[in-house]
Amino acid sequence: MADSAAPASVLVVDDEEPIRNALKKFLAQQQYEVYAAASGEEALNQLRRHKVALMLCDIRMPGTSGVDLVPQALEIEPELAILMLTAVNDATSAAMCMQRGAMDYLTKPIELADLGRAVERALKRRGMLLESRELNRWLKEEVTTRTAELHRERQKLERVSVATLEALVNALEAKDPYMRGHSARVADLSATIAAQLGMPDEEVEHVRVGGRLHDLGKIGTRESVLNKQGPLTPEEFEHVQQHVVIGSQILPPLPHLEHILAMVRSHHERWDGTGYPDGLRGQEIPIGGRIIGTAEVYDALSSSRPYQEKMSPDQTIERMTDLAGTVLDPKVYEAIAAVVARRRTLVFLDEGGGGTSE
Ligand SMILES: [Fe+2]
């Protein structure tokens, strides 16, 4: 018996009553649950009514022949194992039934012992097919679950690697009281400018990460130059400029930060093409680089430096007007002006006025 839980059910389809009864009797003796049908139409009705594992089917019958019955039966019960009963001289019809989905055929006259073995074989094969189908379904589910898990793990690792780089930037800035919090402020302002420009949420977040990491390359800047209070010599200035190149060399092993790379490299380019390191001009400069560059100028002017008094947000925006169209993208300048004006209103409503840039 192929099914260990319940007796497998077999449907005998033959238009000749004596044969049908003999088959029915033999199979019942073998402990199968047996249904019988005298025609193709009756067989289809039985299949609609009962869950049948195997159909033993004569080929030559009046009305629907066995050849035509095979596909119709499989449509009702796709997991049905079908054994054909064929006359000695009808190999062509038997082959056609196999093509249409029958599993095997027996040639009349049938030895009952052969029939018993054939039925058992067919049911066993059906059982294996069902098992492998179930296994495939399970595997598919497992792959989907594991893929989702891997995706979540990867996102977690990506977040950790960004957090690690941010910690490096914080450590770098902590050495210089004037630089403390610079990247965090630039990141927030840059993201707000990007949103003001109507960029999609995902790109706004990329700009935020770009802002956090834009000065990462200063890891490669000599401390004596980094912390120098007075004006830089031309050699020192050239050395500091290298931070954009170094930054863009640190990031490539982290493929999920690919979209940040161009921003890091281009945040000191100028709208008129006189910036560094590549002398890009206008729209050639990646938009993220233009935004971060603008936010950085704002932060430099509005925070205290050893050589400069801290400017108010309004003074800073006023001062930056001259830079629009030379250093800064005029559209980005307009956006930062709008952002700062809005912040001032919000702070006014919130606290009754005061500084807002930090
Ligand atoms: Fe920079």
Side-chain angles (χ1 to χ4, degrees):
M1 299 291 295
D3 196 330
S4 55
S9 50
V10 178
L11 172 63
V12 177
V13 190
D14 202 308
D15 58 314
E16 288 175 68
E17 198 180 359
I19 299 183
R20 195 166 67 238
N21 286 341
L23 293 173
K24 215 174 139 181
K25 190 174 164 199
F26 170 74
L27 291 167
Q29 280 168 357
Q30 307 295 308
Q31 310 301 318
Y32 294 110
E33 189 180 357
V34 191
Y35 303 101
S39 67
E41 289 74 17
E42 218 180 291
L44 294 173
N45 278 334
Q46 293 279 40
L47 287 173
R48 284 189 198 102
R49 274 206 298 273
H50 309 286
K51 176 78 185 167
V52 175
L54 180 136
M55 180 170 79
L56 193 60
C57 181
D58 190 18
I59 289 186
R60 292 219 180 136
M61 292 183 291
T64 308
S65 75
V67 180
D68 291 331
L69 182 58
V70 169
Q72 293 178 42
L74 286 173
E75 206 169 295
I76 296 171
E77 177 53 61
E79 290 160 359
L80 187 66
I82 301 176
L83 269 184
M84 303 308 294
L85 301 175
T86 162
V88 181
N89 57 359
D90 199 8
T92 321
S93 300
M96 206 182 278
C97 290
M98 302 282 283
Q99 256 175 22
R100 292 182 175 191
M103 204 175 263
D104 204 354
Y105 66 92
L106 293 163
T107 313
K108 289 176 177 177
I110 300 155
E111 282 283 339
L112 286 176
D114 287 346
L115 174 66
R117 279 193 294 273
V119 167
E120 236 174 78
R121 213 169 39 235
L123 286 172
K124 202 168 175 183
R125 206 169 134 204
R126 172 179 177 269
M128 277 158 55
L129 284 174
L130 289 181
E131 261 174 38
S132 81
R133 201 176 299 164
E134 179 63 14
L135 188 69
N136 273 338
R137 196 187 55 76
W138 178 82
L139 272 176
K140 228 181 193 169
E141 270 177 23
E142 194 62 13
V143 167
T144 312
T145 315
R146 290 292 299 142
T147 308
E149 272 173 23
L150 277 175
H151 184 68
R152 278 197 298 277
E153 279 301 307
R154 207 183 63 196
Q155 281 184 324
K156 205 163 125 191
L157 277 176
E158 287 176 3
R159 279 199 298 274
V160 169
S161 65
V162 171
T164 308
L165 292 176
E166 284 181 11
L168 263 173
V169 170
N170 289 345
L172 204 70
E173 288 178 354
K175 291 183 198 165
D176 180 351
Y178 297 104
M179 289 306 285
R180 220 165 278 162
H182 163 73
S183 294
R185 287 192 304 269
V186 166
D188 284 345
L189 184 54
S190 298
T192 316
I193 297 170
Q196 174 74 26
L197 286 167
M199 288 168 73
D201 289 354
E202 197 189 3
E203 285 175 36
V204 169
E205 286 317 302
H206 290 167
V207 169
R208 187 190 305 279
V209 177
R212 289 296 270 132
L213 305 182
H214 73 283
D215 274 343
L216 179 68
K218 286 195 175 164
I219 287 170
T221 308
R222 288 196 302 272
E223 284 210 18
S224 57
V225 178
L226 209 54
N227 301 332
K228 187 169 176 183
Q229 301 294 323
L232 300 178
T233 67
E235 186 277 326
E236 287 168 338
F237 188 55
E238 207 175 292
H239 175 63
V240 167
Q241 288 184 341
Q242 281 304 303
H243 78 278
V244 290
V245 177
I246 295 169
S248 69
Q249 286 166 345
I250 291 173
L251 294 175
L254 301 165
H256 59 287
L257 294 178
E258 194 191 358
H259 39 265
I260 309 297
L261 204 121
M263 302 183 201
V264 171
R265 189 176 174 96
S266 65
H267 76 272
H268 283 291
E269 297 290 357
R270 291 172 46 135
W271 185 250
D272 61 9
T274 59
Y276 63 87
D278 301 310
L280 301 180
R281 173 193 297 270
Q283 308 276 351
E284 288 171 357
I285 309 164
I287 180 69
R290 276 179 263 154
I291 292 173
I292 293 167
T294 305
E296 184 156 57
V297 170
Y298 178 90
D299 192 68
L301 294 173
S302 61
S303 36
S304 18
R305 297 282 159 110
Y307 45 84
Q308 150 200 300
E309 273 293 301
K310 173 177 166 171
M311 287 186 201
S312 76
D314 284 345
Q315 284 172 321
T316 310
I317 291 297
E318 177 67 34
R319 174 75 197 281
M320 284 167 75
T321 316
D322 297 343
L323 306 179
T326 52
V327 176
L328 309 176
D329 175 349
K331 285 240 153 52
V332 178
Y333 170 74
E334 266 172 41
I336 195 176
V339 165
V340 171
R342 197 171 60 231
R343 278 187 177 184
R344 188 188 51 205
T345 319
L346 286 176
V347 168
F348 180 73
L349 288 172
D350 224 31
E351 301 167 6
T356 60
S357 68
E358 302 193 346

